[in-house]
Amino acid sequence: MEHILNYFPQLTEKQILQFKELGNLYPEWNSKINVISRKDIDNLYVNHILHSLSIAKFTDFKPGSSILDMGTGGGLPGIPLAIMFPESQFHLIDRTGKKIKVAQSIAESIGLTNVTFQHGDVAEVKNKYDFVVSRAVMQLDALLKLITKNVKKECINSIPNGLICLKGGNLAEETSGIKKEVEIVNLSNYFKEEFFETKKLVYVQI
């Protein structure tokens, strides 16, 4: 939890309490339903929660923004972002029903009211959002084909609407065929922990 406070010192008491509760709820749920690698659950705050919050270092979501978290699994990055931006609305979708139930239960336990949940495929999502976010879901070109229809044209934020995804490794080949403008940010720019040395944020304006 100290890692969160170190990088986000402006958190309210309510936000601090919600982030602290995640440290109990995720391990408890993970012992029943595997939403995070059991080998990695001890690194929950750095490898999963702080990783999710790298999106909050890249941009602020203005009040009234809407964000679709595609392939949320157990609620990452959607739940940490919903805590960070309580005046934005988040819709979390995953094809695995038991994982979306975990995410929903955790959100309810910490009193999140700005999140909705859907068990299904993103092809079923008809609504449009300011941004789509994802965390290591699929290849970038395939992801763009699926979610472009879900991005609004009207922009209320400081950067144009689009896709923000978290990935690792060398992305040169994966991004080479993308016709849209792609911005790649090294997460080591934001965080000093070793985990982030190979991690990247990819932003595609749509």
Side-chain angles (χ1 to χ4, degrees):
M1 180 64 199
E2 66 272 12
H3 295 92
I4 308 298
L5 292 171
N6 182 34
Y7 290 110
F8 297 95
Q10 79 283 12
L11 294 174
T12 65
E13 287 186 14
K14 180 178 180 180
Q15 288 171 317
I16 291 169
L17 181 59
Q18 288 174 321
F19 279 122
K20 281 183 178 177
E21 288 178 349
L22 294 185
N24 297 318
L25 291 165
Y26 270 110
E28 181 184 324
W29 270 108
N30 215 53
S31 65
K32 306 169 194 170
I33 296 170
N34 198 21
V35 293
I36 293 171
S37 166
R38 295 220 162 95
K39 295 177 183 175
D40 207 29
I41 192 67
D42 291 341
N43 302 312
L44 172 69
Y45 276 108
V46 171
N47 294 11
H48 300 280
I49 296 175
L50 194 58
H51 189 210
S52 298
L53 291 175
S54 60
I55 293 172
K57 284 291 188 185
F58 176 71
T59 190
D60 282 331
F61 295 129
K62 295 285 193 295
S65 296
S66 58
I67 298 94
L68 172 65
D69 178 6
M70 181 198 161
T72 188
L76 301 166
I79 286 176
L81 290 173
I83 295 172
M84 187 63 67
F85 299 105
E87 295 182 30
S88 295
Q89 294 297 315
F90 293 81
H91 185 62
L92 280 54
I93 183 168
D94 199 273
R95 288 187 292 186
T96 305
K98 61 184 180 180
K99 289 184 178 180
I100 208 77
K101 284 179 182 174
V102 170
Q104 189 164 13
S105 176
I106 288 173
E108 289 172 356
S109 295
I110 65 173
L112 275 185
T113 57
N114 59 330
V115 288
T116 52
F117 300 87
Q118 182 177 346
H119 171 212
D121 191 277
V122 72
E124 301 165 18
V125 178
K126 307 302 181 191
N127 291 343
K128 292 184 181 291
Y129 303 84
D130 297 293
F131 292 94
V132 177
V133 298
S134 76
R135 187 169 177 259
V137 171
M138 62 173 66
Q139 288 282 108
L140 193 59
D141 56 350
L143 189 52
L144 284 167
K145 285 177 186 173
L146 286 172
I147 60 85
T148 297
K149 67 178 174 57
N150 298 111
V151 177
K152 291 178 181 177
K153 295 280 190 269
E154 309 80 21
C155 176
I156 63 169
N157 285 278
S158 58
I159 61 172
N161 298 351
L163 169 69
I164 305 172
C165 56
L166 300 175
K167 288 181 169 286
N170 188 341
L171 298 174
E173 185 177 339
E174 189 173 337
T175 58
S176 62
I178 305 299
K179 304 231 176 355
K180 299 177 186 295
E181 187 175 334
V182 179
E183 181 177 350
I184 299 175
V185 179
N186 293 317
L187 296 191
S188 57
N189 293 352
Y190 304 141
F191 308 127
K192 66 181 188 302
E193 287 76 11
E194 183 180 352
F195 172 78
F196 296 104
E197 287 179 5
T198 60
K199 298 295 185 286
K200 295 176 173 63
L201 178 149
V202 181
Y203 163 59
V204 185
Q205 180 180 334
I206 296 175

